[in-house]
Amino acid sequence: MKPASFAYYRPGSLDEALSLLAEHGPDAKCLAGGQSLVPAMNFRLARPAVLIDLNRIGSLAGIEQTAGGSVRIGAMTRQRAVERSAMVAERAPLLYQAMPWIAHPQIRNRGTIGGSLAHADPAAELPAVMLALDARFVTAGPSGSRSVHAREFFTGILTTALEEGEMLTAVEIPPRPAGARSVFVEVARRHGDYAMVGVAVELTLDDGRRCGSCRIGLLSVGDTPVLAGAAMRELTGAELTRDAIDGAAAVAARDLDPPTDLHASAEYRRHLARVLIGRALRRAAA
Ligand SMILES: Cc1cc2nc3c(=O)[nH]c(=O)nc-3n(C[C@H](O)[C@H](O)[C@H](O)COP(=O)(O)OP(=O)(O)OC[C@H]3O[C@@H](n4cnc5c(N)ncnc54)[C@H](O)[C@@H]3O)c2cc1C
């Protein structure tokens, strides 16, 4: 199918893009890599009257270290650039590990970090990874710039805390604590498919194998990416023994309310989440 007709703008600066968003309000949508939006338009699941193409705004792309030591990734940075970034590999290995699990190289060549996060698909890898990394999202809008915690950004299926006229400009990943360990695992029917369940773990261990901090992000288990809060609290300060890991995985799975769809039942997803959380924690502890 072809999309419904729309007006097309290609601003050259962030200010110009924000003016267009303000002018056209809810009729307008930003176009990033187009890998989710264009198929949705072709199926007429999305019918924006106005498309604001962000691809000419060079200031929105790039990966850099901030003065505070965070890794800042511009919203229009291609997923492939993140996958190949030495800085991401060194300073955000959890994100680096997750990148090849997103779709296929052709899609990552066009798809952007900001597009995936703003799209807020609960089955996508990046939102769950950003929860586990305790990232902050930088937005720009009519009342200036805001910094929003990842845990406050995802508000429902394909819904975010972005307000009318606002767009995502960057994501900032805080400095990695010394001794941090990162593990990303997922199970999909075929490599490149959306995962049935995925798990992102970032934790620190002291010499006595005691867990100093622990964050567990889950994908494909609810309406939004999920932080396994009860399991995280249970493990923080605890020794990462086999029993502690199995107990935390069981607690996390018990708290989930995953969907049933044609790929997996809710019961299977809960089981898979318990197995994958246990696997990820054991790898992190190894
Ligand atoms: C066959 C196929 C398989 C895929 N498999 C996976 C997968 O396994 N895992 C996965 O995570 N993804 C998958 N994707 C989606 C892919 O990762 C997309 O690239 C991503 O979801 C959207 O990024 P984009 O840059 O293409 O955004 P677009 O499609 O251009 O935009 C997506 C949405 O975000 C909005 N938006 C974009 N940028 C901004 C911004 N800066 N500020 C505010 N709003 C913005 C748009 O208005 C639109 O609503 C798949 C896609 C395809 C086609």
Side-chain angles (χ1 to χ4, degrees), residues 29-39 54 75-76 79 101-104 107 110-116 118-119 123-126 162 166-169 192-195:
K29 266 201 171 294
C30 294
L31 174 68
Q35 299 302 297
S36 295
L37 181 56
V38 171
L54 306 180
M76 283 302 291
Q79 293 163 5
W101 292 94
I102 302 172
H104 306 280
I107 290 162
R110 289 300 302 165
T112 64
I113 286 284
S116 176
H119 190 52
E125 284 78 5
L126 293 175
L162 283 174
E166 263 190 334
M167 52 186 274
L168 187 61
T169 56
D193 281 2
Y194 280 100

Side-chain angles (χ1 to χ4, degrees), residues 82-258:
V82 177
E83 183 181 350
R84 292 178 166 182
S85 161
M87 191 190 294
V88 170
E90 187 194 330
R91 299 186 160 268
L94 182 63
L95 174 60
Y96 187 75
Q97 283 179 44
M99 293 311 298
W101 292 94
I102 302 172
H104 306 280
Q106 293 85 344
I107 290 162
R108 298 197 294 275
N109 280 336
R110 289 300 302 165
T112 64
I113 286 284
S116 176
L117 296 171
H119 190 52
D121 188 328
E125 284 78 5
L126 293 175
V129 166
M130 294 306 167
L131 278 183
L133 289 173
D134 204 15
R136 297 191 76 105
F137 293 11
V138 186
T139 71
S143 23
S145 179
R146 292 194 295 145
S147 173
V148 183
H149 269 296
R151 62 176 179 271
E152 286 154 11
F153 188 77
F154 303 103
T155 53
I157 294 186
L158 309 184
T159 316
T160 69
L162 283 174
E163 287 166 8
E164 195 175 313
E166 263 190 334
M167 52 186 274
L168 187 61
T169 56
V171 57
E172 289 184 358
I173 299 166
R176 194 167 186 246
R181 293 153 182 241
S182 316
V183 177
F184 183 85
V185 290
E186 74 171 46
V187 168
R189 282 180 180 268
R190 297 168 303 185
H191 186 77
D193 281 2
Y194 280 100
M196 285 189 276
V197 174
V199 178
V201 166
E202 181 90 350
L203 58 79
T204 58
L205 279 188
D206 69 15
D207 292 344
R209 308 201 57 70
R210 199 164 293 281
C211 184
S213 65
C214 173
R215 294 183 69 84
I216 306 171
L218 305 171
L219 55 119
S220 250
V221 293
D223 289 354
T224 60
V226 169
L227 257 190
M232 285 158 41
R233 282 189 295 278
E234 198 165 301
L235 288 176
T236 303
E239 204 178 321
L240 267 198
T241 59
R242 176 175 281 271
D243 283 352
I245 288 173
D246 289 346
V251 163
R254 186 201 61 202
D255 288 351
L256 296 176
D257 184 17

